[in-house]
Amino acid sequence: MPSLLPIPQLKDITTNKLYPAYKTVKGLTIQLNGTKTLLPKGDTLSALIMFADECGLKTVIITGGSESTGHSKGSFHGKGLAIDVAGTKYNNLTHSAALLAAKKAGFTHGAYEDFTGSRKDHWHFQIGAGNGLGDKHSLDLPKLYIKKY
């Protein structure tokens, strides 16, 4: 099924090859946390761009995209349907702001993954239910589900 969304436009503004960065048409920056983090394609890239444009930050740090390794078995990342947004230590976002931006962007399921005592905390957003993210992870709920590890 072909995408109904317009083809997203990003400008590569990378200054440090270790941390690729892209500017949206609205002038906001998507910063990848390293060269192993891959931008998604198609509708998920459009959703990521809209998330960046809607979240209220000038720069949003992304720690997961369409890479097929480094995620759980069956992960929606490998299918190109998920993103990970660096947690509150790196992105000055509230859970409610992240939830609202994700919903507006077209993500349907997600959670905040809280790795207590580490710097791995992040919001995981995906398009569609699956890989352990079902009804309690729906973004239609009033609050974002928080998974503690």
Side-chain angles (χ1 to χ4, degrees):
M1 178 170 150
S3 172
L4 301 176
L5 299 174
I7 297 171
Q9 300 294 314
L10 287 176
K11 179 181 179 186
D12 188 338
I13 58 165
T14 302
T15 56
N16 179 341
K17 289 188 278 185
L18 297 177
Y19 299 99
Y22 303 90
K23 183 101 32 201
T24 72
V25 171
K26 290 188 176 181
L28 300 154
T29 301
I30 296 170
Q31 174 79 53
L32 304 183
N33 75 321
T35 56
K36 292 183 180 182
T37 301
L38 305 175
L39 283 175
K41 294 179 174 52
D43 289 347
T44 309
L45 178 57
S46 295
L48 167 57
I49 292 168
M50 190 175 295
F51 176 88
D53 287 342
E54 293 290 334
C55 74
L57 300 175
K58 290 182 181 179
T59 299
V60 62
I61 300 169
I62 303 300
T63 60
S66 65
E67 54 282 341
S68 58
T69 59
H71 300 285
S72 63
K73 184 178 179 183
S75 170
F76 275 37
H77 289 280
K79 297 175 183 180
L81 296 172
I83 63 166
D84 289 338
V85 179
T88 57
K89 292 178 182 87
Y90 299 99
N91 286 308
N92 188 19
L93 277 176
T94 64
H95 291 310
S96 58
L99 173 62
L100 182 61
K103 286 168 63 168
K104 283 184 178 181
F107 292 104
T108 61
H109 291 75
Y112 187 76
E113 298 187 6
D114 183 351
F115 293 87
T116 304
S118 81
R119 297 180 151 212
K120 298 187 326 181
D121 296 0
H122 63 273
W123 288 276
H124 170 91
F125 296 117
Q126 66 186 45
I127 298 172
N131 194 37
L133 271 67
D135 292 343
K136 69 181 178 182
H137 299 91
S138 172
L139 298 186
D140 286 333
L141 296 173
K143 289 179 73 176
L144 188 65
Y145 186 79
I146 299 175
K147 293 173 100 174
K148 292 199 180 261
Y149 295 93

